[in-house]
Amino acid sequence: MFEKLQRAFWKALTPDLIAETVAAPTPSLLSASVLSALGGADNLKSQQRVALTRVRVQLQDAARLDEPALKAAGVPGVMVLGGGVVHLLTGL
Amino acid sequence: MTTTQPLELLAPLSGVLLALDQVPDPVFASRMIGDGLCIDPTSQTLCAPLAGVISSLQDSGHAVSVTDDNGVQVLMHIGLDTVNLAGQGFTRLVQEGQRVEAGQPLIEFDADYVALTARSLLTLMLVVSGEPFTLLAPDGNCVDVGQPLLRVSPGEATAAVAQEEGEALFSKPLSLPNANGLHARPAAVLAQAAKGFEASIYLHKQTQSANAKSLVAIMALQTAQGDTLQVSAAGNDADAAIKALVALLAEGCGETVAAPAQVIEAVAPVSSAALLRGVCASPGSAFGQVVQVAEPELNIIENGTGETAERDALTRGLLAATEALQTLQAKAAGSAQAEIFRAHQELLEDPTLLEQAHGLLAEGKSAAFAWNSATVATAKLFQGLGNALLAERAADLADVGQRVLKLILGIQDRAWDLPEQAILIAEQLTPSQTASLDTRKVLGFVTVGGGATSHVAILARALGLPAICGVPGQVLALANGKQVLLDADKGELHLEPDLAEIETLQAARDQQVQRRQREVAQAALPATTRDGHHVEVTANVASLQEVEQSLALGGEGVGLLRSEFLYLDRNRAPSPEEQAGTYSAIARALGTERNLVVRTLDVGGDKPLAYVPMESETNPFLGLRGIRLCLERPELLREQFRAILASAGLARLHIMLPMVSLLSELHLARRILEEEALALGLEALPKLGIMIEVPSAALMADVFAPHVDFFSIGTNDLTQYTLAMDRDHPRLASQADSFHPAVLRLIATTVKAAHAHGKWVGVCGALASEALAVPMLIGLGVDELSVSVPLIPTIKATVRELDLADCQIIARQVLGLEEAAHVREALRQYHAATVQTSPVVEH
């Protein structure tokens, strides 16, 4: 919510300086098996490609994350952070 | 000294291994710094891979090196381009020179913050002392922190080159240009170059020195931009080494560095001791006394008097600030100002700011302390992003923060107790500061920051006061009460004005006042040139009240009704009846003999509409704006057409479409208009025209002309799209000048095409409101000037002083000039010539 507002505000004043990083959820960013390991598409608040090698997702409920299933789905590294934020290390 | 026991380096982090070749950064991938490996981390604490001494630790905390007792030196660099974060997101847990155990935590970092703000989190571990090693874990595998990762064979490093003997030569001192000092990358480039010489080479910073062939030693110097450095060398090729390294340092060691300072000085206007120069932000001149604008220090007590009381205090403060901002929006001097205050108001509802503040309240802090800490921290975050524009917007956050703070502390946002004849001087005036000014006492503004479209410039023009921006910082040191002369037309502030100068300007000012009185008195006279050419002077309006004002000041109609005024503040669409009522009232006020040009909804990502959910766009100025948005949501356009058509017959009704860039847009809109007119049973369609504000429309005006009834040129947008310069950009705004010949040529093209098809052309952008531009626009053949309401008498009077034949000559001349400044100069000369002759004509 903060991010959204903040972006809206700064964008209004500095239109082309803030790159639109919150991409509309596109199914292509994550495969079906990865999605299900994250607790299903409806557990996903946002997804975003960051830092060259990562997909940053925000989960509604971090408890529904299934790390072994993620690895099985081909995500070599998973970094669970606070507030439902998870980095999926997908490589270059 | 060397032990035969192999040394195992432990993984400094958990994560996924990556070969060095794959690292998307040439300096690391080429092993210029050293060989090693890369980890994409899944843990957030960097630990020592070996026991030893911290041999370098960057102030910014993103890189550290450890040297063991046998001289094995390992550098760890967290992330790519993380030096730009300037320490944000990193916490150093050890100090340079400290002895650490293998596995001891060295640096903590906020992985989410770094991932979101830096290029990458890929972390390098490099054996910079050069010993060979074998990898203990295969690529692409996951490693856990502390797991053995590399086996180094100590003592096999290439033996250090024997120290060259002889007298050391020293270079001249030079200033380091690199924005972030010699961090890993430029340091590696320098060390690599130094290694190419036999001489022993040292880099000196004040009393410290470092072996220039050692990357880590260079980094340990902790250099910063502007540091004075010297290179020394001893040995056979010392002379060549110094020359090469000094040149390399001056060029930035492979980093792009700002052009040398003297180049900038050469471009900047010259200021002298008695004269400071800036850019004219609002014309005019004034003689007055310096009043430095500085915010008072606020006394904030950290500890609160109970959480409930402090929570109430914060809530009250926020509520009062919201009300104040709403009032300010209502009486803002311009729509831009109103928008700024609206954005401020939104910030007050920002959940994270509130969350931060409430968190501090829960810790027993006072409301003032909690709010201040929350806003200052967020403002800092924006300043820390290393982006000048965002940093400037942090000023808005600071502004709204101060507003609430003063309300909590019970400090009256007093209308300043200004002395008479004040010339306000400030780094930058905030919207709140200018809103509480007693403008009757202010004669002018001088600011260090900002450009012709900055907040203070907008305000100054709305008030008709002279202002200059971009003045050197030394202006802030002028004593309060000092008598100065502000000549905004020339962009000058005279610090030691002599009597003659003051009298000349005073006389000019008196003349201006008299001229204004004369202009208003003669406002009802038509705008006809001396040789009988009539130009229609109409008004740009956004309300019925402005329409009435314009008629009192001699306006001949409305050339631009900004219809979005009906919409911008709403959470819900205004009812069709309300819209129809407003249009009809305006049309009735004008009567059947005057033009009413209604521009359809001109909103978009840059000025969003509260009740139409719009996806935010990366670049709203090139997104769904104006007619594009209307065609995307045709029901909005349909409803607006119906409302406008309700006023048909009450005035000479014209409908104008904004931001048209394609012919198909015009055709689609016309079809919708025809359908609505048919449904209402109207026999005659109102006139339909388009704004010319996109270069494609101007260039294709001959194709558009047969399909429209008129063109109206929006010079503000046309300028920014033609020159590809944001008119609100602090550094570009002064160059985004509508007097640029490129813009003028597009106007000429448009007029020619329109007249060939018997259609009229107006100018409703800011250019039409500039008296200086009037002869040029008339000479180019523009038929109508739609100007801001207070300027109607001035523009009409200006027209009456002109000869069409002269105007045509000056117009032809300026089209061939090179840049906006030349055009302005040519017009000024022409103006000086006509003003001298005009009093004779009047008598």
Side-chain angles (χ1 to χ4, degrees):
Chain A
M1 179 63 190
F2 169 61
E3 282 208 344
K4 216 176 118 206
L5 243 172
Q6 184 171 279
R7 270 166 210 286
F9 176 68
W10 298 115
K11 270 182 84 88
L13 292 169
T14 56
D16 48 25
L17 276 152
I18 300 184
E20 195 51 47
T21 37
V22 189
T26 41
S28 58
L29 212 52
L30 300 170
S31 71
S33 50
V34 171
L35 270 181
S36 91
L38 291 172
D42 59 343
N43 195 31
L44 226 58
K45 269 199 269 191
S46 72
Q47 50 177 310
Q48 182 183 359
R49 206 167 254 302
V50 296
L52 299 177
T53 57
R54 295 169 184 240
V55 176
R56 179 186 191 267
V57 295
Q58 270 183 294
L59 303 181
Q60 309 277 5
D61 177 7
R64 283 161 68 188
L65 174 81
D66 182 350
E67 274 198 62
L70 267 181
K71 301 228 163 159
V75 178
V78 179
M79 188 170 198
V80 181
L81 297 156
V85 173
V86 179
H87 288 186
L88 308 176
L89 278 62
T90 51
L92 283 166
Chain B
M1 169 106 191
T2 43
T3 56
T4 47
Q5 200 183 358
L7 170 70
E8 281 187 351
L9 298 186
L10 310 182
L13 289 163
S14 300
V16 180
L17 274 188
L18 196 72
L20 210 49
D21 309 292
Q22 290 182 20
V23 175
D25 185 310
V27 173
F28 291 124
S30 68
R31 297 180 166 70
M32 189 186 277
I33 294 177
D35 201 356
L37 50 74
C38 172
I39 298 176
D40 198 358
T42 54
S43 66
Q44 306 188 78
T45 305
L46 183 86
C47 298
L50 73 171
V53 171
I54 303 292
S55 41
S56 76
L57 176 56
Q58 294 291 293
D59 282 340
S60 43
H62 70 287
V64 58
S65 66
V66 180
T67 309
D68 82 348
D69 295 340
N70 295 322
V72 175
Q73 197 164 52
V74 179
L75 170 75
M76 281 144 294
H77 190 282
I78 304 170
L80 302 179
D81 295 345
T82 36
V83 66
N84 297 329
L85 301 183
Q88 195 86 40
F90 296 93
T91 312
R92 294 177 294 166
L93 305 174
V94 291
Q95 288 170 351
E96 227 170 69
Q98 185 179 335
R99 181 164 283 278
V100 295
E101 291 307 311
Q104 182 173 336
L106 305 178
I107 296 172
E108 252 174 26
F109 58 96
D110 179 342
D112 203 37
Y113 175 79
V114 178
L116 286 169
T117 43
R119 185 161 159 245
S120 173
L121 267 170
L122 292 174
T123 297
L124 291 308
M125 178 170 88
L126 309 172
V127 183
V128 288
S129 46
E131 289 84 358
F133 58 80
T134 49
L135 192 62
L136 302 173
D139 268 10
N141 271 16
C142 292
V143 295
D144 287 320
V145 61
Q147 166 187 343
L149 206 53
L150 294 182
R151 181 170 293 133
V152 180
S153 320
E156 292 178 34
T158 42
V161 182
Q163 287 287 308
E164 288 282 330
E165 296 297 322
E167 189 111 346
L169 301 173
F170 277 84
S171 75
K172 285 199 184 128
L174 62 98
S175 168
L176 186 69
N178 302 60
N180 293 308
L182 292 171
H183 61 99
R185 226 136 22 117
V189 170
L190 185 69
Q192 189 76 10
K195 282 180 196 163
F197 296 95
E198 276 177 30
S200 58
I201 307 171
Y202 282 84
L203 188 66
H204 305 263
K205 174 188 148 190
Q206 288 161 340
T207 56
Q208 295 170 275
S209 61
N211 182 349
K213 296 181 184 180
S214 161
L215 160 76
V216 173
I218 296 171
M219 286 171 67
L221 272 185
Q222 301 276 12
T223 51
Q225 186 171 33
D227 276 355
T228 304
L229 302 179
Q230 262 181 300
V231 182
S232 75
N236 280 339
D237 51 1
D239 206 22
I242 287 179
K243 255 189 211 138
L245 296 186
V246 165
L248 192 62
L249 282 167
E251 285 165 11
C253 291
E255 281 194 319
T256 324
V257 292
Q262 55 267 33
V263 176
I264 299 166
E265 276 168 9
V267 177
V270 185
S271 296
S272 68
L275 178 71
L276 293 173
R277 283 183 191 276
V279 180
C280 174
S282 176
S285 62
F287 175 67
Q289 55 172 317
V290 166
V291 176
Q292 297 280 357
V293 179
E295 276 291 316
E297 280 284 313
L298 297 179
N299 190 11
I300 301 170
I301 296 163
E302 180 170 343
N303 288 322
T305 55
E307 201 187 325
T308 323
E310 295 296 341
R311 206 174 285 277
D312 288 349
L314 178 59
T315 310
R316 274 198 308 275
L318 290 170
L319 207 65
T322 305
E323 281 169 12
L325 285 168
Q326 271 165 351
T327 317
L328 284 170
Q329 281 171 48
K331 63 172 198 196
S335 66
Q337 237 190 327
E339 262 172 62
I340 290 167
F341 289 127
R342 183 160 35 242
H344 282 191
Q345 196 186 325
E346 265 179 48
L347 266 184
L348 292 180
E349 292 151 19
D350 188 292
T352 300
L353 270 184
L354 295 179
E355 204 175 286
Q356 274 181 39
H358 281 289
L360 288 166
L361 288 180
E363 289 170 21
K365 306 295 185 194
S366 72
F369 181 85
W371 174 255
N372 191 45
S373 305
T375 50
V376 168
T378 310
K380 240 199 190 122
L381 187 76
F382 280 102
Q383 274 158 350
L385 293 179
N387 177 314
L389 260 194
L390 282 187
E392 189 159 287
R393 293 314 166 194
D396 278 300
L397 186 55
D399 186 24
V400 77
Q402 286 281 316
R403 172 180 300 283
V404 176
L405 201 54
K406 284 184 196 156
L407 287 165
I408 293 172
L409 295 172
I411 294 168
Q412 287 291 316
D413 218 355
R414 63 209 156 92
W416 286 329
D417 196 11
L418 287 174
E420 296 288 335
Q421 306 208 305
I423 293 186
L424 296 185
I425 297 185
E427 170 73 38
Q428 181 78 281
L429 284 169
T430 67
S432 301
Q433 284 171 332
T434 50
S436 58
L437 280 181
D438 180 355
T439 49
R440 284 166 307 178
K441 293 181 176 173
V442 178
L443 291 183
F445 301 93
V446 177
T447 62
V448 174
T453 54
S454 69
H455 176 75
V456 64
I458 292 165
L459 180 88
R461 283 196 293 264
L463 296 172
L465 294 174
I468 59 176
C469 294
V471 180
Q474 67 207 76
V475 73
L476 299 175
L478 295 180
N480 275 319
K482 183 177 171 59
Q483 305 272 311
V484 290
L485 181 66
L486 171 62
D487 185 352
D489 297 322
K490 290 190 191 150
E492 294 174 349
L493 183 69
H494 297 261
L495 305 184
E496 286 150 26
D498 63 40
L499 211 58
E501 271 181 309
I502 297 167
E503 279 175 358
T504 316
L505 270 165
Q506 201 70 45
R509 197 153 170 252
D510 290 347
Q511 239 177 21
Q512 243 171 19
V513 172
Q514 283 171 14
R515 190 181 154 92
R516 173 74 189 167
Q517 286 167 350
R518 199 168 56 229
E519 285 167 2
V520 172
Q522 300 178 345
L525 295 179
T528 306
T529 61
R530 292 192 218 162
D531 50 352
H533 174 70
H534 180 73
V535 178
E536 185 146 327
V537 178
T538 56
N540 293 344
V541 299
S543 67
L544 176 59
Q545 191 202 354
E546 279 188 308
V547 174
E548 286 160 353
Q549 270 173 18
S550 78
L551 292 174
L553 288 172
E556 297 174 314
V558 165
L560 170 63
L561 171 60
R562 299 185 166 102
S563 69
E564 58 276 8
F565 80 98
L566 281 171
Y567 299 79
L568 274 180
D569 287 328
R570 299 305 188 80
N571 292 316
R572 216 174 303 146
S575 69
E577 294 73 27
E578 185 190 344
Q579 291 183 51
T582 312
Y583 294 126
S584 298
I586 290 172
R588 225 172 265 123
L590 287 166
T592 52
E593 293 305 309
R594 292 197 182 91
N595 278 357
L596 168 59
V597 179
V598 184
R599 179 173 71 186
T600 60
L601 207 54
D602 187 16
V603 295
D606 57 316
K607 28 184 175 173
L609 208 56
Y611 62 90
V612 180
M614 269 189 69
E615 278 176 30
S616 56
E617 300 174 303
T618 313
N619 193 344
F621 280 106
L622 301 181
L624 280 179
R625 266 183 112 207
I627 191 68
R628 300 172 184 174
L629 179 76
C630 287
L631 292 174
E632 186 86 353
R633 301 170 200 275
E635 70 287 356
L636 267 183
L637 186 62
R638 226 170 251 288
E639 189 176 291
Q640 192 181 14
F641 278 153
R642 270 201 296 275
I644 297 171
L645 289 171
S647 65
L650 299 173
R652 292 210 305 243
L653 185 61
H654 293 64
I655 293 179
M656 177 159 76
L657 309 171
M659 267 299 280
V660 172
S661 55
L662 307 170
L663 195 62
S664 58
E665 292 164 343
L666 171 62
H667 289 324
L668 276 171
R670 180 181 286 280
R671 196 158 69 224
I672 296 174
L673 178 63
E674 281 167 354
E675 285 167 10
E676 290 308 319
L678 191 70
L680 290 174
L682 287 180
E683 284 168 15
L685 273 183
K687 303 286 185 196
L688 182 65
I690 62 169
M691 292 274 289
I692 300 284
E693 45 191 342
V694 182
S696 69
L699 292 166
M700 303 275 284
D702 56 336
V703 179
F704 278 100
H707 305 282
V708 299
D709 296 303
F710 65 97
F711 289 134
S712 189
I713 301 173
T715 48
N716 303 11
D717 271 331
L718 186 60
T719 303
Q720 82 169 348
Y721 290 132
T722 302
L723 297 174
M725 287 178 182
D726 184 346
R727 58 187 142 102
D728 294 327
H729 193 293
R731 303 279 294 279
L732 296 176
S734 59
Q735 296 175 65
D737 190 339
S738 299
F739 285 82
H740 194 285
V743 179
L744 306 180
R745 288 178 188 210
L746 289 176
I747 296 175
T749 307
T750 306
V751 172
K752 205 172 140 206
H755 288 180
H757 290 87
K759 309 293 164 70
W760 62 268
V761 179
V763 173
C764 62
L767 192 59
S769 299
E770 292 213 35
L772 192 63
V774 167
M776 168 180 83
L777 293 175
I778 293 176
L780 288 171
V782 170
D783 305 284
E784 178 229 28
L785 299 172
S786 190
V787 307
S788 73
V789 173
L791 288 168
I792 294 172
T794 309
I795 300 298
K796 287 182 87 174
T798 306
V799 172
R800 288 194 294 264
E801 283 171 5
L802 299 170
D803 267 308
L804 178 61
D806 287 350
C807 292
Q808 287 166 339
I809 293 168
I810 188 83
R812 262 200 302 278
Q813 187 198 333
V814 297
L815 284 180
L817 295 178
E818 287 173 14
E819 52 182 78
H822 296 173
V823 175
R824 284 182 180 271
E825 187 51 39
L827 290 170
R828 255 194 292 273
Q829 281 172 14
Y830 171 79
H831 179 69
T834 50
V835 164
Q836 274 164 8
T837 57
S838 60
V840 184
V841 177
E842 275 166 11
H843 288 290

